[in-house]
Amino acid sequence: MPRVKSFEPLYRPFATWLRPLALASLVANVVLIVTGAAVRLTDSGLGCPTWPRCTDASYTTTSAMGVHGMIEFGNRLLTFVLAGLAIACFLGALGRPRRQSLVRLSVLVGLGIPMQGVLGGITVLTHLNPWVVGLHFLLSIALITLAYAFWRRIGEGDGDPRPLVPAPLRTLARVTALASLAVVAAGVVVTGSGPHSGDRGAKRNGLDPAAVSQVHADLVFLLIGLSMAVWFALRAVSAPPAAVRAALILVAVELGQGLIGFVQYFTHLPVLLVAAHMLGAGLVWWATLGVLWSLRERPTHTPADPAPASPSPAEEPVPAA
């Protein structure tokens, strides 16, 4: 995408701070999961009972709506923070030369923000339908994926991706990522069957909480086993230290998340542990992406050196007599 020269002074400061801005966007999308959990766990899901306004007469919360209205409206305000960061990242991407992929990723992240707002509005208008709430969470996972790709792409070169480990190990990592995504999706179903609905009158999905929790736990065991296999395999093939470290971080995050999930289940889902578990879901996916990204590199593209020109007849050395 060509840059307009007259706008370069506008792009330059954003391009200079692009990597911190990208990290802030990624962190903010993870924080959105936590604030969404706060809305649900405090029964504030209908603190603003309509959308896009908070009430029929006001776009903002009122004192009569109490703390529930403040919590729900605060979660809505985070959308504007995400939108501002997305715009800043887009401007910064325009200021980077020959980085069309950065611009495309920033546009996708930016488009996801209003989609998230609209889907959040649908959850309110459907009175917190658990399946819609689940889609709202999965869209956050998709946005984390895009924001992570944007953040990591900034520090890469512009050449073609080059694998750093053998193909079977890359396949194992992809299977592990699918298992991680399955764990997240199963967690959404478990949440929809549990007691924390976001409002005391909201319906649940009707599934047996114990049964779906068992499926979720089985997938967690599978994920941990696959992740440990990736870690051992990376060490066995003498993979780059960054890849080994990324796999170890994934295993550590999964074990911490599993411990929180185990304790919260047998302590009847206290809200603080449930909130920590929601944060952990975002961190597990972040760590999963870190493993995938560590198995390849994109070096700086350097054009091939031109072949030396053949000397002209006048330049050819004269044979010795």
Side-chain angles (χ1 to χ4, degrees), residues 17-269:
W17 291 91
L18 185 55
R19 191 166 178 81
L21 285 170
L23 180 59
S25 176
L26 174 57
V27 171
N29 277 286
V30 175
V31 170
L32 184 64
I33 291 177
V34 181
T35 60
V39 170
R40 184 169 57 83
L41 295 171
T42 58
D43 290 331
S44 302
L46 297 178
C48 288
T50 188
W51 188 87
R53 298 188 179 193
C54 191
T55 69
D56 291 334
S58 173
Y59 282 98
T60 64
T61 185
T62 63
S63 58
M65 301 172 70
V67 67
H68 295 305
M70 293 176 59
I71 293 173
E72 164 64 6
F73 184 68
N75 187 54
R76 293 188 182 190
L77 286 179
L78 186 57
T79 300
F80 295 97
V81 176
L82 291 169
L85 288 170
I87 293 171
C89 288
F90 173 71
L91 293 174
L94 288 177
R96 291 293 183 101
R98 301 183 305 277
R99 299 306 293 272
Q100 291 87 349
S101 61
L102 282 178
V103 175
R104 287 194 295 268
L105 284 169
S106 66
V107 169
L108 290 174
V109 173
L111 291 176
I113 306 304
M115 288 177 59
Q116 187 74 296
V118 170
L119 193 52
I122 294 174
T123 65
V124 172
L125 297 177
T126 57
H127 302 286
L128 309 181
N129 181 292
W131 300 108
V132 180
V133 173
L135 288 176
H136 195 36
F137 176 83
L138 292 176
L139 181 54
S140 285
I141 295 297
L143 282 173
I144 288 172
T145 305
L146 292 171
Y148 183 89
F150 181 81
W151 175 56
R152 290 296 297 264
R153 188 73 179 86
I154 293 169
E156 294 184 325
D158 53 2
D160 295 329
R162 183 173 64 194
L164 299 174
V165 297
L169 187 44
R170 300 199 303 274
T171 300
L172 176 60
R174 295 188 189 103
V175 172
T176 303
L178 289 175
S180 181
L181 190 59
V183 167
V184 170
V188 169
V189 178
V190 172
T191 298
S193 69
H196 299 299
S197 61
D199 185 82
R200 293 180 182 179
K203 295 182 179 180
R204 303 282 72 207
N205 59 26
L207 300 176
D208 178 27
V212 292
S213 295
Q214 184 61 58
V215 172
H216 180 56
D218 292 341
L219 288 171
V220 169
F221 290 135
L222 173 63
L223 174 60
I224 293 175
L226 288 170
S227 300
M228 294 187 70
V230 170
W231 179 51
F232 281 117
L234 287 172
R235 295 185 61 182
V237 300
S238 299
V244 178
R245 183 169 60 251
L248 181 59
I249 290 173
L250 175 59
V251 172
V253 173
E254 288 169 353
L255 290 175
Q257 174 75 334
L259 177 62
I260 293 173
F262 181 85
V263 174
Q264 73 162 4
Y265 182 82
F266 288 101
T267 55
H268 307 291
L269 305 177

